[in-house]
Amino acid sequence: MRFSLNLFRLLLSSSLSLIILTISLLPAFIVGESFENWLSAQESSALTKIFNNIAPYGPNLQDALPGVSVASPSRVHPDYYYQWTRDSAITALALVHTYASSPNSTQGFHLVEILDAYSDLQAHLQQVTNPSGSFSGLQGLAEPKFHVNGTAFTGPWGRPQRDGPALRALALIEYIRVYNATHPALWTSTDPPGRTAWYRHFYEATMPAVSVIKADLEHISKYWNLGDGFDLWEEKQGMHLFTLMVQSKALREGADLALRFGDGGASEWYAAQYQSIQEALPRFYDRRAETLTSWTGEGLDVGGLDCGNLLGALHGHAPPSIPETGVQTSQDLYPPWTSEILNHLLAFVQNQRDTYPINADRPGINSTACLLSPVAIGRYPGDIYDGDGFSGGNPWFLCTASAAEVLYRTATHFAPRSGLPLDQPFWQELLRCAGGLEAIDREEGLWKALLEEVIRRADGFLAVMKRYQGPEGEMSEQINGTSGEQIGARDLTWSYGSLVEALRWRGRAVEAVKRIGEGFEGEEGEGWNKEEL
């Protein structure tokens, strides 16, 4: 059933109340009423633009199957009018989180329609034979993109891409987790066939795998260590930190899901593969440079600073541990708030400041000013992709948003805990940016004051996005590093989704820091409705 986007705009405006309330609790990094007004309007604006890129609701997607989420409506220079497995899964996850905030509203009902259409489409696409393989051997699940009519794209491309199945599994696991929490009667229904039919679509404990999530988990668990996949930028073949991190999270959550569906053997297998990936991740930490590398491959140099590492921390860290599986989240390497990620961010910000002229008004690397002053961030040093050719890389909106989200999640994590690793370069620089110990309000305390500074720095990255947005909140893929003009694919869906997620974590961060000293015990994520499931 089609619905009015104008109605969506009206409905979504009500979901901003939490953000509007929390904005007043903490001074923004960029002080001023215009920035606060901008913040209060962004979730509704970004979500509307996401809906514009989803069939059948988008105004320019009449030829697409229901549930298709195009990377961009751009069809020429560049042609991004495809359904990417990775991009659509990340978009779906952002919509699941939006649904979780108001599941019983009219908005929530419409989001269920979108997410159900997405899950139906993914089940169909898994069955489509493509250049990566077929469904029978599960190799075809690593195909990176499809035509919007649901047929295989057979042109040359960087394939396979093994992050797609993991991200799709994560989006759908989160969807049924949230849906279960808001519709517990479905699981406890006295009509087992009706209940089973809904869940069987997502997960069924049979082999060979026939359900969408189990098929993805089987693919991940069998092929994660081949080292033949391309990275999320679709350029390099090898082992990639981002891919391994999202595969690790999918297997950890998949182990829990399998156990709940009585698939004990699969649960043990997924948990074992999760542990193996965690044991492989330390190879991506360069102890001499004290930063993370992004990829390794036979005969290839090791990749260095990369926005993909920040994205891996955001999409690859699991919610609280679930005791039944014996897999503990505390074992996860490189969540957003760890020194490895934060020191990586510090070094990356310094590099990007010197790389792009539009960042020239920010303090230089040798300046005595704050080295954490927010800047526009690109993919990695030496990038040459300009959005439609190879004249030189540029900052990306989604990478700039990822820096903000890393910082918001850092503040959220440390707020209910005692102690900060002040001996690490990131925290030392943050303390210097805050004016040193002498400038900290002793009544507020060092801990709270530094976390407020983290949020202000995160706000600064959002302010950079604001600077280069279009007048109606438009965001393309890239920002010209010299002129500041938007270039590349217009209205990139991932750009909007990254902003929605950053805003969601901003609300959590502000509330968590406000409650320091009140005995608040925060959580990293939502869990299952364990009473019913």
Side-chain angles (χ1 to χ4, degrees):
M1 180 179 68
R2 297 180 65 87
F3 54 91
S4 167
L5 287 175
N6 288 328
L7 174 61
F8 244 123
R9 293 186 182 99
L10 177 62
L11 293 168
L12 290 170
S13 63
S14 62
S15 67
L16 297 173
S17 56
L18 175 61
I19 294 176
I20 294 171
L21 286 173
T22 55
I23 284 172
S24 63
L25 300 175
L26 188 72
F29 179 79
I30 305 297
V31 179
E33 182 179 356
S34 63
F35 180 67
E36 294 190 359
N37 290 343
W38 177 82
L39 277 176
S40 68
Q42 286 314 293
E43 184 181 42
S44 176
S45 173
L47 284 171
T48 296
K49 289 176 172 56
I50 290 175
F51 300 142
N52 286 342
N53 288 350
I54 297 177
Y57 313 110
N60 299 314
L61 280 70
Q62 290 82 3
D63 57 340
L65 290 180
V68 163
S69 171
V70 295
S72 162
S74 176
R75 304 193 189 202
V76 293
H77 301 298
D79 183 4
Y80 276 32
Y81 195 68
Y82 294 93
Q83 160 88 19
W84 262 270
T85 304
R86 170 181 47 256
D87 296 39
S88 62
I90 290 174
T91 298
L93 187 59
L95 296 182
V96 170
H97 293 152
T98 303
Y99 163 68
S101 67
S102 56
N104 297 317
S105 64
T106 304
Q107 168 190 305
F109 297 144
H110 289 317
L111 285 170
V112 166
E113 292 179 354
I114 292 174
L115 293 166
D116 282 348
Y118 166 78
S119 64
D120 289 343
L121 176 69
Q122 297 310 305
H124 163 73
L125 294 179
Q126 283 184 334
Q127 301 281 343
V128 176
T129 299
N130 55 68
S132 293
S134 65
F135 183 75
S136 61
L138 300 180
Q139 284 280 25
L141 275 60
E143 181 66 10
K145 69 178 185 178
F146 295 84
H147 291 292
V148 299
N149 64 1
T151 60
F153 171 76
T154 58
W157 209 254
R159 55 171 66 93
Q161 294 182 25
R162 302 199 183 278
D163 58 335
L167 290 163
R168 176 168 54 203
L170 287 169
L172 294 177
I173 290 173
E174 183 69 5
Y175 178 41
I176 61 174
R177 174 189 287 131
V178 171
Y179 197 85
N180 169 71
T182 55
H183 297 78
L186 182 64
W187 186 262
T188 59
S189 171
T190 57
D191 176 26
R195 177 192 74 189
T196 304
W198 192 87
Y199 284 105
R200 181 182 294 165
H201 168 72
F202 295 99
Y203 193 96
E204 186 175 4
T206 59
M207 287 294 288
V210 294
S211 56
V212 59
I213 295 176
K214 186 169 179 63
D216 280 336
L217 293 174
E218 287 296 313
H219 171 93
I220 300 164
S221 64
K222 292 173 69 172
Y223 300 124
W224 69 265
N225 60 353
L226 291 185
D228 64 343
F230 279 79
D231 64 335
L232 78 164
W233 308 129
E234 307 185 308
E235 296 173 343
K236 304 180 181 74
Q237 195 169 19
M239 294 289 281
H240 308 284
L241 181 59
F242 173 85
T243 301
L244 287 175
M245 291 181 77
V246 297
Q247 288 175 326
S248 173
K249 180 180 179 182
L251 289 168
R252 198 198 76 82
E253 296 201 1
D256 170 61
L257 182 71
L259 192 64
R260 295 178 185 279
F261 279 86
D263 201 2
S267 178
E268 293 180 3
W269 167 247
Y270 300 152
Q273 298 308 302
Y274 159 84
Q275 297 288 3
S276 295
I277 293 178
Q278 287 292 308
E279 292 170 3
L281 290 180
R283 75 177 69 168
F284 290 89
Y285 185 68
D286 185 342
R287 294 191 178 279
R288 289 180 300 176
E290 295 186 336
T291 189
L292 289 166
T293 60
S294 60
W295 61 285
T296 60
E298 185 176 354
L300 301 174
D301 293 331
V302 175
L305 298 173
D306 198 311
C307 166
N309 295 345
L310 304 181
L311 293 168
L314 298 176
H315 294 287
H317 175 66
S321 59
I322 302 172
E324 291 92 329
T325 64
V327 179
Q328 303 293 318
T329 302
S330 60
Q331 296 175 331
D332 285 358
L333 291 178
Y334 315 138
W337 52 83
T338 55
S339 295
E340 291 89 347
I341 294 296
L342 294 175
N343 293 343
H344 185 92
L345 174 61
L346 173 62
F348 198 21
V349 168
Q350 295 178 53
N351 172 275
Q352 298 294 280
R353 178 180 296 112
D354 288 348
T355 298
Y356 300 115
I358 60 171
N359 294 330
D361 61 340
R362 305 293 182 177
I365 191 169
N366 296 318
S367 170
T368 57
C370 178
L371 300 182
L372 276 170
S373 295
V375 297
I377 292 179
R379 298 192 301 176
Y380 53 83
D383 187 10
I384 62 172
Y385 178 58
D386 62 13
D388 191 32
F390 300 96
S391 64
N394 299 286
W396 288 43
F397 280 106
L398 71 90
C399 289
T400 306
S402 72
E405 187 179 342
V406 163
L407 295 176
Y408 290 136
R409 291 179 69 166
T410 295
T412 304
H413 172 79
F414 281 112
R417 295 166 175 82
S418 60
L420 293 169
L422 296 181
D423 60 330
Q424 291 297 313
F426 170 86
W427 293 101
Q428 291 177 350
E429 180 61 20
L430 186 76
L431 185 62
R432 193 176 70 85
C433 294
L437 288 170
E438 298 79 8
I440 299 299
D441 187 338
R442 295 292 180 177
E443 294 183 3
E444 288 293 321
L446 175 64
W447 177 27
K448 185 173 184 178
L450 279 180
L451 294 184
E452 288 177 342
E453 187 68 19
V454 169
I455 295 177
R456 281 190 283 269
R457 298 291 152 182
D459 282 351
F461 285 102
L462 295 190
V464 170
M465 297 178 70
K466 173 182 179 293
R467 177 186 301 179
Y468 300 113
Q469 267 189 347
E472 301 298 324
E474 302 91 343
M475 289 188 291
S476 62
E477 180 184 72
Q478 302 183 29
I479 307 161
N480 187 290
T482 300
S483 68
E485 297 176 342
Q486 292 192 30
I487 58 174
R490 63 183 175 89
D491 288 312
L492 191 77
T493 310
W494 196 351
S495 294
Y496 298 120
S498 66
L499 179 57
V500 169
E501 289 291 84
L503 290 171
R504 184 173 71 92
W505 280 101
R506 185 186 193 275
R508 288 190 175 193
V510 171
E511 180 63 20
V513 172
K514 183 192 71 167
R515 297 177 66 179
I516 287 177
E518 298 178 8
F520 169 61
E521 293 295 332
E523 293 186 353
E524 166 64 14
E526 302 298 330
W528 292 94
N529 184 340
K530 298 179 182 178
E531 296 299 321
E532 283 80 22
L533 191 55

